[in-house]
Amino acid sequence: MRIRRLAKQVLDRILAFALLVLLSPLLVVVVAWILVDSGRPVFFVYPRAGRFGRPFPMLKFRTMIPDAIEVGRAQKLSEDP
């Protein structure tokens, strides 16, 4: 069982790295598109609950206006904290 878990961890990391290398040209295009369309910042960082409830910073491409959370709160578009 221990060997199977180790093999899965190694395979997960190898596949993640390979996909990152294969998709990197597409990721560069997305970054350029966001920069041209709406400027910086390119990434949106937001805390999410992780394993055992520990928060971790989730990183994703920004697909909304800058400061969208604050703008939404100011306009009372949602009661979501």
Side-chain angles (χ1 to χ4, degrees):
M1 202 63 160
R2 184 179 176 118
I3 293 174
R4 181 181 262 176
R5 190 175 346 174
L6 179 64
K8 182 187 180 325
Q9 287 178 350
V10 170
L11 187 62
D12 283 348
R13 292 172 196 265
I14 290 171
L15 288 174
F17 179 75
L19 285 172
L20 187 61
V21 169
L22 287 172
L23 293 174
S24 61
L26 177 63
L27 298 176
V28 170
V29 169
V30 171
V31 167
W33 189 350
I34 293 171
L35 282 172
V36 168
D37 188 49
S38 61
R40 294 179 184 263
V42 172
F43 296 106
F44 178 70
V45 181
Y46 203 70
R48 294 285 190 226
R51 189 172 187 195
F52 304 119
R54 285 189 315 196
F56 71 96
M58 184 182 73
L59 181 71
K60 65 179 189 171
F61 289 116
R62 184 177 55 80
T63 57
M64 57 191 144
I65 62 169
D67 301 325
I69 293 174
E70 289 78 18
V71 171
R73 286 181 183 149
Q75 294 179 355
K76 300 185 188 221
L77 297 176
S78 173
E79 294 179 19
D80 186 15

